[in-house]
Amino acid sequence: MATRGPRIQALWHLPWLVFLFSTTRVFCASTSKVPRLGVHGPYGARNHHGKVKHRYVVSFKYWRGPDTMAPIFVYLGEESSLNDDLGYIGILSDNAARFGALQVYIEIMQKYLHIKKKHSADSSPVIVFGGSYGGMLAAWFRLKYPHVALGALASSAPVLYFDNITPSNGYYTVVTKDFKESSESCYKTIKQSWFEIDKVAAKADGLSILQKKFNTCKPLEAATELKNFLDSLFSVAAQYDRPPRYPVDLVCKGIDSAPEGSDVLDRIFSGIVAYFGKKPCYNLDAFFSSETLEGWTWQTCSELVIPIGRGSNDTMFPAEPFDLKEYIEECKSAFGVPPRPHWITTYYGGHHFKEVLRRFGSNIIFSNGLRDPCSSGGVLENISDSILAVYTTTGAHCMDILPATIGDPDWVVLQRNIEIEIINGWILKYYQDLLENSS
């Protein structure tokens, strides 16, 4: 575990990791709707000054140009590679034709300023979009730079999961609720499984027994490896519980339909097989990628301290309270830096969020699906006439910004339509203000 950085926040690597996993295995999001985009500048290469070059991707396919003051849609990248966003995010490309918008996918916002200046688009209104961590960035960008961005759509952005604003167990409480609603017996099996794993692991050859029972690709060095894998499996299933696969139901059907006579751990393994399919063996690192893991762990060890934990009997998971002192020591050991648990709320705000933003903020949509555990740290009620919460009770993580498909449920179609009409209103008001100021 030490090689992965702080143990408590391992879960927060998952949003991008499932982007990669889902596009190849679960959801197979089509890239045919994404226009041919030009990639400008090498990625990841350091020049002789030691600076890292970043990528930005621009599509002019639908842009009506700066003379018409056509808008610019900017997608703010999160902790994942830009490659993943291009095939996975649909809200820009699905709506660019209607608005005649320039599409920009970006890793650092300074590149956007360069693009706007290069194409003489000073009067073109800018809407920023983002999902998960990128959604937080979109909301914060609008708050910090209202002269640059006209508005922001922050999808599945847990901007309130800092500095004890949200209960520490909020994330796992929603995961538990999702599984319990799917199947009471499934929920009870999962809740009992942690004790059973520890009981088997305590035997002289317990780790070997667990390896054979769960058919792991590598020998287990500790029971925590298996428990962390299951933690990730159940959390990912809940966070991305989307149609048509609905992984929570998929896992629970596997658990509940295990052969007669199966013990608790046999039933858990049946859930693993239901999720991944039959494989020669099961890789306990399936949810982790070293490339993004390292950078994200650094971020959560320096400025993004997200205090996720859980009590002794408040979820279906074993107790694991967030311990800031332990967390600080882990970060010091991993990177030689102490975390700054109050930095986010000091720099961007968070405490008394509604009262503060009502006084000075505007033009932000906070969108959520309530089956998404991240919604526990999201904004779920309107703050003002222009800082709005748009959520669905059955939605999951970032569903509204995925490419639209014929089979989309009516409720996500409605959610997207509401969001786009709000954005349309912002842009029309912007043009109206320009006309009034020029007369």
Side-chain angles (χ1 to χ4, degrees), residues 109-163:
M109 202 58 191
Q110 289 90 329
K111 292 294 183 182
Y112 150 72
L113 299 174
H114 163 74
I115 293 167
K116 194 169 186 182
K117 182 177 181 182
K118 179 180 178 180
H119 297 287
S120 303
D122 288 343
S123 297
S124 292
V126 175
I127 307 296
V128 292
F129 300 79
S132 199
Y133 169 51
M136 292 192 274
L137 293 178
W140 292 334
F141 191 86
R142 166 61 185 168
L143 291 174
K144 282 290 184 181
Y145 306 105
H147 61 293
V148 177
L150 175 65
L153 171 58
S155 176
S156 299
V159 292
L160 301 180
Y161 221 132
F162 297 96
D163 213 0

Short mmCIF file of all heavy atoms in Angstrom, two decimals, residues 109-163:
data_model
loop_
_atom_site.label_atom_id
_atom_site.label_comp_id
_atom_site.label_asym_id
_atom_site.label_seq_id
_atom_site.Cartn_x
_atom_site.Cartn_y
_atom_site.Cartn_z
N MET A 109 -5.37 26.14 -18.37
CA MET A 109 -6.22 27.22 -18.87
C MET A 109 -5.44 28.32 -19.58
O MET A 109 -5.98 29.04 -20.41
CB MET A 109 -7.02 27.82 -17.72
CG MET A 109 -8.28 28.53 -18.17
SD MET A 109 -9.38 27.44 -19.09
CE MET A 109 -10.56 28.60 -19.76
N GLN A 110 -4.13 28.44 -19.30
CA GLN A 110 -3.35 29.48 -19.99
C GLN A 110 -3.38 29.30 -21.50
O GLN A 110 -3.32 30.26 -22.26
CB GLN A 110 -1.90 29.47 -19.49
CG GLN A 110 -1.73 29.97 -18.07
CD GLN A 110 -1.85 28.86 -17.05
OE1 GLN A 110 -2.58 27.89 -17.27
NE2 GLN A 110 -1.14 29.00 -15.95
N LYS A 111 -3.47 28.02 -21.94
CA LYS A 111 -3.53 27.76 -23.38
C LYS A 111 -4.79 28.34 -24.00
O LYS A 111 -4.79 28.80 -25.15
CB LYS A 111 -3.47 26.25 -23.62
CG LYS A 111 -2.13 25.61 -23.27
CD LYS A 111 -1.02 26.08 -24.17
CE LYS A 111 0.29 25.38 -23.86
NZ LYS A 111 1.39 25.86 -24.69
N TYR A 112 -5.89 28.32 -23.24
CA TYR A 112 -7.12 28.90 -23.77
C TYR A 112 -6.95 30.38 -24.06
O TYR A 112 -7.40 30.89 -25.09
CB TYR A 112 -8.26 28.70 -22.76
CG TYR A 112 -9.27 29.80 -22.83
CD1 TYR A 112 -10.15 29.89 -23.91
CD2 TYR A 112 -9.31 30.79 -21.86
CE1 TYR A 112 -11.04 30.93 -24.00
CE2 TYR A 112 -10.20 31.83 -21.94
CZ TYR A 112 -11.07 31.90 -23.01
OH TYR A 112 -11.94 32.94 -23.10
N LEU A 113 -6.29 31.12 -23.17
CA LEU A 113 -6.09 32.55 -23.38
C LEU A 113 -5.27 32.79 -24.64
O LEU A 113 -5.53 33.74 -25.39
CB LEU A 113 -5.38 33.15 -22.15
CG LEU A 113 -6.16 33.03 -20.83
CD1 LEU A 113 -5.31 33.52 -19.67
CD2 LEU A 113 -7.46 33.82 -20.90
N HIS A 114 -4.32 31.91 -24.88
CA HIS A 114 -3.52 32.00 -26.11
C HIS A 114 -4.40 31.78 -27.34
O HIS A 114 -4.29 32.51 -28.33
CB HIS A 114 -2.40 30.97 -26.05
CG HIS A 114 -1.76 30.68 -27.38
ND1 HIS A 114 -0.90 31.57 -28.00
CD2 HIS A 114 -1.87 29.62 -28.22
CE1 HIS A 114 -0.51 31.05 -29.16
NE2 HIS A 114 -1.08 29.87 -29.31
N ILE A 115 -5.29 30.79 -27.28
CA ILE A 115 -6.16 30.48 -28.41
C ILE A 115 -7.08 31.65 -28.70
O ILE A 115 -7.27 32.04 -29.86
CB ILE A 115 -6.97 29.21 -28.11
CG1 ILE A 115 -6.05 27.99 -28.03
CG2 ILE A 115 -8.04 28.98 -29.18
CD1 ILE A 115 -6.72 26.76 -27.45
N LYS A 116 -7.67 32.24 -27.68
CA LYS A 116 -8.62 33.33 -27.87
C LYS A 116 -7.93 34.54 -28.51
O LYS A 116 -8.47 35.18 -29.41
CB LYS A 116 -9.24 33.71 -26.53
CG LYS A 116 -10.47 34.60 -26.67
CD LYS A 116 -11.22 34.74 -25.36
CE LYS A 116 -12.51 35.51 -25.59
NZ LYS A 116 -13.28 35.72 -24.35
N LYS A 117 -6.73 34.82 -28.05
CA LYS A 117 -5.99 35.95 -28.62
C LYS A 117 -5.56 35.65 -30.05
O LYS A 117 -5.66 36.52 -30.93
CB LYS A 117 -4.76 36.23 -27.75
CG LYS A 117 -3.93 37.41 -28.22
CD LYS A 117 -2.78 37.69 -27.26
CE LYS A 117 -1.96 38.90 -27.73
NZ LYS A 117 -0.81 39.15 -26.81
N LYS A 118 -5.11 34.46 -30.32
CA LYS A 118 -4.64 34.07 -31.63
C LYS A 118 -5.72 34.22 -32.69
O LYS A 118 -5.44 34.62 -33.84
CB LYS A 118 -4.14 32.62 -31.59
CG LYS A 118 -3.64 32.09 -32.94
CD LYS A 118 -3.16 30.65 -32.80
CE LYS A 118 -2.69 30.11 -34.15
NZ LYS A 118 -2.23 28.70 -34.03
N HIS A 119 -6.97 33.93 -32.33
CA HIS A 119 -8.07 33.96 -33.30
C HIS A 119 -8.94 35.21 -33.16
O HIS A 119 -10.06 35.25 -33.68
CB HIS A 119 -8.91 32.70 -33.16
CG HIS A 119 -8.15 31.44 -33.47
ND1 HIS A 119 -7.79 31.09 -34.74
CD2 HIS A 119 -7.66 30.47 -32.65
CE1 HIS A 119 -7.12 29.95 -34.72
NE2 HIS A 119 -7.03 29.55 -33.46
N SER A 120 -8.40 36.23 -32.49
CA SER A 120 -9.08 37.53 -32.35
C SER A 120 -10.52 37.35 -31.87
O SER A 120 -11.45 37.97 -32.40
CB SER A 120 -9.05 38.27 -33.70
OG SER A 120 -7.73 38.43 -34.14
N ALA A 121 -10.69 36.52 -30.87
CA ALA A 121 -12.03 36.18 -30.39
C ALA A 121 -12.31 36.81 -29.03
O ALA A 121 -12.97 36.20 -28.18
CB ALA A 121 -12.17 34.66 -30.32
N ASP A 122 -11.86 38.04 -28.84
CA ASP A 122 -12.03 38.70 -27.55
C ASP A 122 -13.49 38.84 -27.14
O ASP A 122 -13.81 38.85 -25.95
CB ASP A 122 -11.36 40.08 -27.57
CG ASP A 122 -9.84 39.99 -27.57
OD1 ASP A 122 -9.33 38.90 -27.24
OD2 ASP A 122 -9.18 40.98 -27.92
N SER A 123 -14.39 38.98 -28.11
CA SER A 123 -15.80 39.21 -27.79
C SER A 123 -16.63 37.93 -27.77
O SER A 123 -17.83 37.98 -27.54
CB SER A 123 -16.41 40.19 -28.79
OG SER A 123 -15.78 41.46 -28.70
N SER A 124 -15.99 36.80 -28.02
CA SER A 124 -16.72 35.53 -28.01
C SER A 124 -16.92 35.07 -26.57
O SER A 124 -15.96 34.93 -25.82
CB SER A 124 -15.96 34.45 -28.79
OG SER A 124 -15.93 34.75 -30.17
N PRO A 125 -18.16 34.82 -26.15
CA PRO A 125 -18.39 34.35 -24.78
C PRO A 125 -17.85 32.94 -24.59
O PRO A 125 -17.89 32.12 -25.51
CB PRO A 125 -19.92 34.38 -24.65
CG PRO A 125 -20.42 34.23 -26.04
CD PRO A 125 -19.42 34.93 -26.92
N VAL A 126 -17.38 32.67 -23.41
CA VAL A 126 -16.75 31.38 -23.10
C VAL A 126 -17.56 30.65 -22.04
O VAL A 126 -17.89 31.23 -21.00
CB VAL A 126 -15.31 31.58 -22.60
CG1 VAL A 126 -14.70 30.25 -22.16
CG2 VAL A 126 -14.46 32.22 -23.69
N ILE A 127 -17.89 29.39 -22.32
CA ILE A 127 -18.52 28.52 -21.34
C ILE A 127 -17.54 27.40 -21.03
O ILE A 127 -17.04 26.73 -21.94
CB ILE A 127 -19.83 27.92 -21.86
CG1 ILE A 127 -20.78 29.02 -22.36
CG2 ILE A 127 -20.50 27.08 -20.78
CD1 ILE A 127 -21.25 29.98 -21.30
N VAL A 128 -17.25 27.20 -19.74
CA VAL A 128 -16.34 26.12 -19.36
C VAL A 128 -17.14 24.94 -18.83
O VAL A 128 -18.17 25.10 -18.17
CB VAL A 128 -15.31 26.59 -18.31
CG1 VAL A 128 -14.35 27.60 -18.92
CG2 VAL A 128 -15.97 27.18 -17.08
N PHE A 129 -16.68 23.75 -19.18
CA PHE A 129 -17.32 22.50 -18.78
C PHE A 129 -16.29 21.63 -18.07
O PHE A 129 -15.10 21.70 -18.36
CB PHE A 129 -17.83 21.73 -20.00
CG PHE A 129 -18.84 22.45 -20.85
CD1 PHE A 129 -18.44 23.42 -21.77
CD2 PHE A 129 -20.19 22.14 -20.75
CE1 PHE A 129 -19.37 24.08 -22.57
CE2 PHE A 129 -21.13 22.80 -21.55
CZ PHE A 129 -20.72 23.77 -22.45
N GLY A 130 -16.77 20.80 -17.16
CA GLY A 130 -15.88 19.85 -16.52
C GLY A 130 -16.67 18.81 -15.76
O GLY A 130 -17.82 19.04 -15.38
N GLY A 131 -16.05 17.65 -15.55
CA GLY A 131 -16.69 16.58 -14.82
C GLY A 131 -15.81 16.06 -13.70
O GLY A 131 -14.60 15.95 -13.86
N SER A 132 -16.41 15.75 -12.55
CA SER A 132 -15.69 15.24 -11.39
C SER A 132 -14.68 16.29 -10.91
O SER A 132 -15.08 17.41 -10.63
CB SER A 132 -15.02 13.90 -11.75
OG SER A 132 -14.68 13.18 -10.61
N TYR A 133 -13.40 15.96 -10.84
CA TYR A 133 -12.41 16.97 -10.46
C TYR A 133 -12.42 18.13 -11.46
O TYR A 133 -12.32 19.31 -11.09
CB TYR A 133 -11.02 16.33 -10.38
CG TYR A 133 -9.89 17.31 -10.25
CD1 TYR A 133 -9.90 18.31 -9.27
CD2 TYR A 133 -8.78 17.23 -11.10
CE1 TYR A 133 -8.85 19.21 -9.16
CE2 TYR A 133 -7.73 18.11 -10.98
CZ TYR A 133 -7.77 19.10 -10.01
OH TYR A 133 -6.72 19.98 -9.90
N GLY A 134 -12.58 17.80 -12.75
CA GLY A 134 -12.69 18.85 -13.76
C GLY A 134 -13.91 19.73 -13.56
O GLY A 134 -13.90 20.91 -13.90
N GLY A 135 -14.98 19.15 -13.00
CA GLY A 135 -16.16 19.95 -12.67
C GLY A 135 -15.88 20.93 -11.56
O GLY A 135 -16.36 22.07 -11.57
N MET A 136 -15.09 20.49 -10.57
CA MET A 136 -14.67 21.43 -9.53
C MET A 136 -13.87 22.57 -10.14
O MET A 136 -14.08 23.74 -9.81
CB MET A 136 -13.84 20.69 -8.47
CG MET A 136 -14.63 19.71 -7.64
SD MET A 136 -13.73 19.10 -6.19
CE MET A 136 -12.81 17.74 -6.90
N LEU A 137 -12.95 22.23 -11.04
CA LEU A 137 -12.14 23.26 -11.69
C LEU A 137 -13.02 24.24 -12.46
O LEU A 137 -12.76 25.46 -12.46
CB LEU A 137 -11.13 22.61 -12.63
CG LEU A 137 -10.02 21.76 -12.00
CD1 LEU A 137 -9.13 21.16 -13.08
CD2 LEU A 137 -9.19 22.60 -11.03
N ALA A 138 -14.05 23.73 -13.15
CA ALA A 138 -14.92 24.61 -13.93
C ALA A 138 -15.65 25.60 -13.02
O ALA A 138 -15.72 26.80 -13.32
CB ALA A 138 -15.93 23.77 -14.72
N ALA A 139 -16.21 25.10 -11.92
CA ALA A 139 -16.92 26.00 -10.99
C ALA A 139 -15.96 27.02 -10.39
O ALA A 139 -16.27 28.22 -10.31
CB ALA A 139 -17.58 25.17 -9.89
N TRP A 140 -14.81 26.55 -9.95
CA TRP A 140 -13.83 27.46 -9.34
C TRP A 140 -13.31 28.48 -10.34
O TRP A 140 -13.06 29.63 -10.00
CB TRP A 140 -12.67 26.65 -8.75
CG TRP A 140 -13.05 25.83 -7.56
CD1 TRP A 140 -14.08 26.06 -6.68
CD2 TRP A 140 -12.42 24.63 -7.12
NE1 TRP A 140 -14.12 25.10 -5.72
CE2 TRP A 140 -13.11 24.19 -5.95
CE3 TRP A 140 -11.33 23.87 -7.56
CZ2 TRP A 140 -12.75 23.05 -5.24
CZ3 TRP A 140 -10.96 22.73 -6.86
CH2 TRP A 140 -11.67 22.33 -5.72
N PHE A 141 -13.17 28.05 -11.61
CA PHE A 141 -12.67 28.98 -12.62
C PHE A 141 -13.66 30.11 -12.84
O PHE A 141 -13.28 31.28 -12.95
CB PHE A 141 -12.41 28.25 -13.93
CG PHE A 141 -11.66 29.09 -14.93
CD1 PHE A 141 -10.28 29.13 -14.92
CD2 PHE A 141 -12.34 29.86 -15.86
CE1 PHE A 141 -9.59 29.92 -15.83
CE2 PHE A 141 -11.66 30.64 -16.76
CZ PHE A 141 -10.28 30.68 -16.75
N ARG A 142 -14.94 29.77 -12.92
CA ARG A 142 -15.95 30.82 -13.09
C ARG A 142 -15.95 31.78 -11.90
O ARG A 142 -16.08 32.99 -12.07
CB ARG A 142 -17.33 30.18 -13.27
CG ARG A 142 -18.52 31.13 -13.13
CD ARG A 142 -18.52 32.27 -14.14
NE ARG A 142 -19.62 33.21 -13.87
CZ ARG A 142 -19.75 34.39 -14.42
NH1 ARG A 142 -18.84 34.82 -15.28
NH2 ARG A 142 -20.77 35.16 -14.11
N LEU A 143 -15.79 31.24 -10.70
CA LEU A 143 -15.79 32.10 -9.50
C LEU A 143 -14.55 32.99 -9.45
O LEU A 143 -14.64 34.16 -9.06
CB LEU A 143 -15.86 31.23 -8.24
CG LEU A 143 -17.18 30.49 -8.00
CD1 LEU A 143 -17.04 29.55 -6.81
CD2 LEU A 143 -18.32 31.47 -7.79
N LYS A 144 -13.42 32.45 -9.85
CA LYS A 144 -12.17 33.21 -9.78
C LYS A 144 -11.98 34.16 -10.96
O LYS A 144 -11.37 35.22 -10.82
CB LYS A 144 -10.97 32.24 -9.72
CG LYS A 144 -10.75 31.62 -8.35
CD LYS A 144 -10.26 32.67 -7.35
CE LYS A 144 -9.94 32.07 -6.01
NZ LYS A 144 -9.49 33.10 -5.04
N TYR A 145 -12.47 33.78 -12.13
CA TYR A 145 -12.20 34.56 -13.34
C TYR A 145 -13.50 34.83 -14.11
O TYR A 145 -13.66 34.40 -15.26
CB TYR A 145 -11.20 33.82 -14.23
CG TYR A 145 -9.94 33.45 -13.51
CD1 TYR A 145 -9.70 32.13 -13.12
CD2 TYR A 145 -8.98 34.41 -13.18
CE1 TYR A 145 -8.54 31.78 -12.43
CE2 TYR A 145 -7.81 34.07 -12.51
CZ TYR A 145 -7.61 32.75 -12.14
OH TYR A 145 -6.46 32.42 -11.46
N PRO A 146 -14.44 35.55 -13.51
CA PRO A 146 -15.71 35.82 -14.21
C PRO A 146 -15.53 36.70 -15.44
O PRO A 146 -16.41 36.73 -16.30
CB PRO A 146 -16.54 36.53 -13.13
CG PRO A 146 -15.55 37.12 -12.19
CD PRO A 146 -14.41 36.15 -12.16
N HIS A 147 -14.40 37.40 -15.54
CA HIS A 147 -14.14 38.22 -16.73
C HIS A 147 -13.65 37.37 -17.90
O HIS A 147 -13.61 37.84 -19.04
CB HIS A 147 -13.09 39.30 -16.41
CG HIS A 147 -11.76 38.75 -15.99
ND1 HIS A 147 -11.58 38.06 -14.81
CD2 HIS A 147 -10.55 38.77 -16.60
CE1 HIS A 147 -10.32 37.71 -14.69
NE2 HIS A 147 -9.68 38.11 -15.76
N VAL A 148 -13.29 36.11 -17.62
CA VAL A 148 -12.80 35.21 -18.67
C VAL A 148 -13.89 34.24 -19.11
O VAL A 148 -14.09 34.01 -20.29
CB VAL A 148 -11.56 34.44 -18.18
CG1 VAL A 148 -11.09 33.44 -19.25
CG2 VAL A 148 -10.43 35.41 -17.83
N ALA A 149 -14.59 33.65 -18.15
CA ALA A 149 -15.63 32.67 -18.45
C ALA A 149 -17.00 33.24 -18.12
O ALA A 149 -17.24 33.70 -17.01
CB ALA A 149 -15.39 31.39 -17.66
N LEU A 150 -17.90 33.19 -19.10
CA LEU A 150 -19.27 33.68 -18.89
C LEU A 150 -20.05 32.76 -17.96
O LEU A 150 -20.91 33.22 -17.21
CB LEU A 150 -19.99 33.79 -20.24
CG LEU A 150 -21.46 34.17 -20.22
CD1 LEU A 150 -21.62 35.60 -19.68
CD2 LEU A 150 -22.08 34.04 -21.60
N GLY A 151 -19.77 31.47 -18.02
CA GLY A 151 -20.51 30.53 -17.20
C GLY A 151 -19.81 29.19 -17.14
O GLY A 151 -18.83 28.96 -17.86
N ALA A 152 -20.31 28.32 -16.28
CA ALA A 152 -19.68 27.01 -16.09
C ALA A 152 -20.72 25.94 -15.85
O ALA A 152 -21.73 26.17 -15.17
CB ALA A 152 -18.72 27.05 -14.91
N LEU A 153 -20.47 24.76 -16.42
CA LEU A 153 -21.24 23.56 -16.10
C LEU A 153 -20.31 22.63 -15.33
O LEU A 153 -19.32 22.14 -15.88
CB LEU A 153 -21.75 22.87 -17.35
CG LEU A 153 -22.38 21.48 -17.15
CD1 LEU A 153 -23.55 21.53 -16.19
CD2 LEU A 153 -22.82 20.87 -18.48
N ALA A 154 -20.61 22.40 -14.06
CA ALA A 154 -19.81 21.55 -13.19
C ALA A 154 -20.56 20.26 -12.94
O ALA A 154 -21.49 20.21 -12.13
CB ALA A 154 -19.50 22.27 -11.88
N SER A 155 -20.18 19.21 -13.64
CA SER A 155 -20.87 17.93 -13.54
C SER A 155 -20.23 17.05 -12.48
O SER A 155 -19.01 16.86 -12.46
CB SER A 155 -20.84 17.21 -14.90
OG SER A 155 -21.41 15.94 -14.82
N SER A 156 -21.06 16.52 -11.58
CA SER A 156 -20.59 15.58 -10.55
C SER A 156 -19.37 16.12 -9.82
O SER A 156 -18.38 15.41 -9.62
CB SER A 156 -20.29 14.21 -11.17
OG SER A 156 -21.43 13.66 -11.75
N ALA A 157 -19.44 17.36 -9.41
CA ALA A 157 -18.31 18.05 -8.80
C ALA A 157 -18.50 18.14 -7.28
O ALA A 157 -19.30 18.95 -6.81
CB ALA A 157 -18.17 19.45 -9.40
N PRO A 158 -17.76 17.37 -6.49
CA PRO A 158 -17.94 17.39 -5.03
C PRO A 158 -17.18 18.55 -4.38
O PRO A 158 -16.27 18.36 -3.59
CB PRO A 158 -17.37 16.04 -4.60
CG PRO A 158 -16.33 15.72 -5.62
CD PRO A 158 -16.83 16.31 -6.92
N VAL A 159 -17.59 19.77 -4.71
CA VAL A 159 -16.89 20.96 -4.24
C VAL A 159 -17.02 21.17 -2.74
O VAL A 159 -16.31 21.99 -2.15
CB VAL A 159 -17.39 22.23 -4.98
CG1 VAL A 159 -16.99 22.20 -6.43
CG2 VAL A 159 -18.90 22.40 -4.82
N LEU A 160 -17.93 20.44 -2.09
CA LEU A 160 -18.14 20.60 -0.66
C LEU A 160 -17.56 19.45 0.16
O LEU A 160 -17.82 19.34 1.35
CB LEU A 160 -19.65 20.74 -0.36
CG LEU A 160 -20.35 21.91 -1.05
CD1 LEU A 160 -21.82 21.94 -0.67
CD2 LEU A 160 -19.68 23.24 -0.68
N TYR A 161 -16.74 18.60 -0.49
CA TYR A 161 -16.15 17.48 0.24
C TYR A 161 -14.77 17.86 0.79
O TYR A 161 -13.80 17.11 0.65
CB TYR A 161 -16.03 16.25 -0.66
CG TYR A 161 -16.39 14.95 0.04
CD1 TYR A 161 -17.25 14.04 -0.56
CD2 TYR A 161 -15.89 14.65 1.30
CE1 TYR A 161 -17.60 12.86 0.08
CE2 TYR A 161 -16.23 13.47 1.94
CZ TYR A 161 -17.08 12.58 1.33
OH TYR A 161 -17.42 11.41 1.98
N PHE A 162 -14.69 19.02 1.40
CA PHE A 162 -13.43 19.51 1.95
C PHE A 162 -13.67 20.07 3.35
O PHE A 162 -14.75 20.58 3.65
CB PHE A 162 -12.84 20.60 1.05
CG PHE A 162 -12.48 20.14 -0.33
CD1 PHE A 162 -13.36 20.32 -1.39
CD2 PHE A 162 -11.28 19.51 -0.57
CE1 PHE A 162 -13.04 19.89 -2.66
CE2 PHE A 162 -10.95 19.06 -1.85
CZ PHE A 162 -11.83 19.26 -2.90
N ASP A 163 -12.64 19.99 4.16
CA ASP A 163 -12.61 20.72 5.43
C ASP A 163 -13.84 20.42 6.31
O ASP A 163 -14.36 21.30 6.98
CB ASP A 163 -12.51 22.23 5.14
CG ASP A 163 -11.71 22.97 6.20
OD1 ASP A 163 -11.24 22.31 7.14
OD2 ASP A 163 -11.58 24.19 6.07
#
